[in-house]
Amino acid sequence: MKTSVFHKRPWVLSILGGALGFILLAFVTDRPLPSLIVALVLGLLLHYYLKRKQPVDETVPTASPERLAHYRSLGMSNADIRFFRSTMQTAAQQIEQLETNMAAAPKLKAIELHDEPVQVSQATFKALVQTPQKLTVAADFLYRHLPRLVQLSQDYLAISQHTVKDKDTYTVLSESAALITELAQTLKADYQQVVADDQADLAVNMQLAREELAKANAEKEPSDNDRN
């Protein structure tokens, strides 16, 4: 839906309204100063009114009908859905870049093989797609750890490709690899936070299943004795 310049910039109409009010009042009353004061007040009131009346973007987000139904079943508004999908799109691009980076140098390949930052990031992404309400739980992953890991791995690649390397270069590469390893391990903690509720639910369900089995076995034993 297109909006006019006045909806996009309500201050334009406020200034025009105030100026018109001043001209009319000054012409009618022949008292410029009181007219100016009244015009300013009218302009401020008009600006406040227009700000409150700005149209709300209710455009339906682009997604499959099934996905939209899932989002709305969680109570998400169109604005919530757009924000979530925008955030996840950025994360998807960062994970794709991280995958490229981690495959581009032997040391980074070794870190990926041992700590699996790409696989962990993909698993976290998948968990968030299924449970958008956990977006705030994954704030550190989305806004700090993942972007930082992408940047560090890119910096590592840039330095490792220097034709001539001295002792300081190797020191920086070693320290960078250590930080990348530490962040990769941090991603695992981020993932555990996202799926913590799922694991807790599983533990509860397993305990209930054990109790049901124990109860069934306890009820079965007397009937066996009765047959004897």
Side-chain angles (χ1 to χ4, degrees):
M1 180 185 296
K2 292 185 177 181
T3 56
S4 69
V5 65
F6 299 123
H7 281 116
K8 293 179 180 178
R9 298 181 178 86
W11 55 268
V12 174
L13 189 56
S14 301
I15 292 175
L16 290 175
L20 181 61
F22 170 69
I23 293 171
L24 290 174
L25 287 170
F27 178 78
V28 172
T29 63
D30 196 28
R31 300 178 65 185
L33 184 58
S35 299
L36 177 61
I37 295 173
V38 173
L40 287 173
V41 172
L42 289 174
L44 289 173
L45 290 173
L46 183 60
H47 178 75
Y48 176 74
Y49 174 79
L50 290 174
K51 287 287 285 185
R52 292 188 61 187
K53 289 294 182 180
Q54 284 193 65
V56 178
D57 185 3
E58 287 297 338
T59 306
V60 177
T62 303
S64 67
E66 295 80 9
R67 187 63 63 189
L68 284 175
H70 173 62
Y71 292 148
R72 290 190 173 122
S73 71
L74 298 172
M76 297 174 68
S77 66
N78 285 340
D80 294 333
I81 297 172
R82 281 193 298 274
F83 175 77
F84 175 75
R85 289 181 65 80
S86 174
T87 300
M88 298 308 292
Q89 182 180 12
T90 299
Q93 293 169 350
Q94 291 171 337
I95 293 171
E96 184 178 351
Q97 184 62 56
L98 180 63
E99 184 174 18
T100 300
N101 294 350
M102 299 304 290
K107 181 60 178 178
L108 298 184
K109 286 182 181 179
I111 295 173
E112 175 60 35
L113 183 64
H114 186 268
D115 293 297
E116 303 178 326
V118 174
Q119 291 189 40
V120 172
S121 296
Q122 291 170 340
T124 305
F125 182 94
K126 184 177 179 180
L128 287 172
V129 169
Q130 296 299 322
T131 54
Q133 66 272 26
K134 294 183 179 180
L135 190 66
T136 54
V137 176
D140 283 343
F141 167 76
L142 292 168
Y143 303 118
R144 295 177 55 204
H145 301 153
L146 178 59
R148 191 173 301 167
L149 185 54
V150 172
Q151 186 61 55
L152 274 174
S153 58
Q154 288 183 179
D155 292 344
Y156 181 95
L157 290 175
I159 296 173
S160 67
Q161 291 167 1
H162 289 179
T163 304
V164 179
K165 301 182 182 69
D166 56 16
K167 182 179 178 180
D168 290 339
T169 304
Y170 287 109
T171 299
V172 169
L173 287 173
S174 177
E175 292 175 350
S176 178
L179 282 173
I180 291 171
T181 300
E182 184 178 342
L183 270 175
Q185 294 169 353
T186 301
L187 293 189
K188 292 182 178 180
D190 292 337
Y191 173 75
Q192 291 299 326
Q193 281 189 318
V194 172
V195 301
D197 291 343
D198 298 335
Q199 293 175 343
D201 291 342
L202 177 59
V204 170
N205 290 334
M206 289 175 62
Q207 181 60 33
L208 290 173
R210 292 191 189 98
E211 292 174 358
E212 289 295 329
L213 285 172
K215 182 179 179 181
N217 290 334
E219 292 175 350
K220 185 179 179 181
E221 288 177 0
S223 62
D224 291 340
N225 293 332
D226 291 343
R227 292 194 193 98
N228 297 330

